[in-house]
Amino acid sequence: MKVRKAVIVAAGWGTRFLPLTKSQPKEMLPLLNKPLLQYSVEEAIACGVELVVIVSAKGKRSIEDYFDRHFELERMLEHSGQTRLLKEVLLPCDMADICYVRQKEQLGLGHAVLAAKRVIGDEPFILFLPDDLFQQKEKVLQNMITISEQYRGSVLAVQAVSEAEVSRYGIIAPEYVAERVHRIVGLTEKPGAGESPSNLAIMGRYVLSAEVFDALENTPPGRNGEIQLTDALQSLLLHHPVYAYEFAGDRYDTGSLPGWIETMVTFAINDPRIGPGLRERITAILSSSSGMKYPLVDGEQDGNVVMMTERR
Ligand code: G1P
């Protein structure tokens, strides 16, 4: 069955960015001059998705506003002859059919995915965790869809990580099928030291059978007391084949403050309009001796930012 729908999970607290995310959804943080979420919507459209389901939550209305029309702003841009900007402003409104479901209680990633059950029905769908961005975005998802059709199963995007990093991800136990394709025979969410079945980590793209919803409904709270998607996939694979696609190219993790800043810098220095000037400025900053004027807001303890990176 053709994949026509995508679910983008945008319902988390954004705790790694507090206090910033107290009134601003993490998914609306900028990457250059677009919000993070737009990159996932664009990626979904590029793969032929016809309906995007955004799982949202309390305090996230700015997401709906962003993908909606803003007539006063449009009129102002039109009257002042700023047609290029007008086009950019209209783009998110026209790019996709988007509908919203709310996760009423934040009980974990699996619980958020389950909120989309009614809208997805019994069709296969793509699941996006919008924190994760890929360099070869269309290619990763297209290859996953092809694998899903060829092997008649669900497919997760995976990439090898270092031993120190396995505790930040869902990790698969793989069985070789073909070049960069594995059948998944087990999964563990954020395994502790020495417990990891491999170093292949799930990165935020999934092509899933709707059967996952039944599995989610029967999944008890797992790690951190949350309903984990990884646990539901573990029971799904007992009666439905689940594969992993080991994708090539860089992946950007915008889900932590250092990761988001690193992604922003990478995108910015590679942007043809602002990149060259920015590179010069960064070189100048690195060679200047002036100290930091605006230190980070500290969390509960010193080194909170480092802790957040480690926990992801
Ligand atoms: C989630 C998933 C995890 C996956 C990761 C990818 O974890 O639970 O299995 O490896 O996304 O980014 P989170 O980052 O929400 O803690």
Side-chain angles (χ1 to χ4, degrees), residues 157-215:
V158 299
Q159 197 168 51
V161 296
S162 71
E163 208 173 312
E165 288 176 310
V166 289
S167 60
R168 290 165 41 183
Y169 297 99
I171 303 289
I172 64 157
E175 207 173 75
Y176 180 87
V177 171
E179 180 77 19
R180 299 208 270 137
V181 181
H182 308 270
R183 173 130 185 196
I184 301 179
V185 292
L187 304 105
T188 318
E189 181 66 13
K190 304 192 174 76
E195 290 169 2
S196 186
S198 78
N199 67 341
L200 291 177
I202 305 166
M203 302 300 182
R205 299 293 178 277
Y206 308 67
V207 177
L208 294 173
S209 152
E211 287 177 58
V212 75
F213 294 121
D214 295 335

Side-chain angles (χ1 to χ4, degrees), residues 16 109 129 132 169-170 189-190 202 204 228 230 251 312:
R16 290 161 197 148
L109 174 61
L129 309 188
D132 289 328
Y169 297 99
E189 181 66 13
K190 304 192 174 76
I202 305 166
Q228 295 289 351
T230 304
R251 166 239 176 198
R312 253 183 63 77

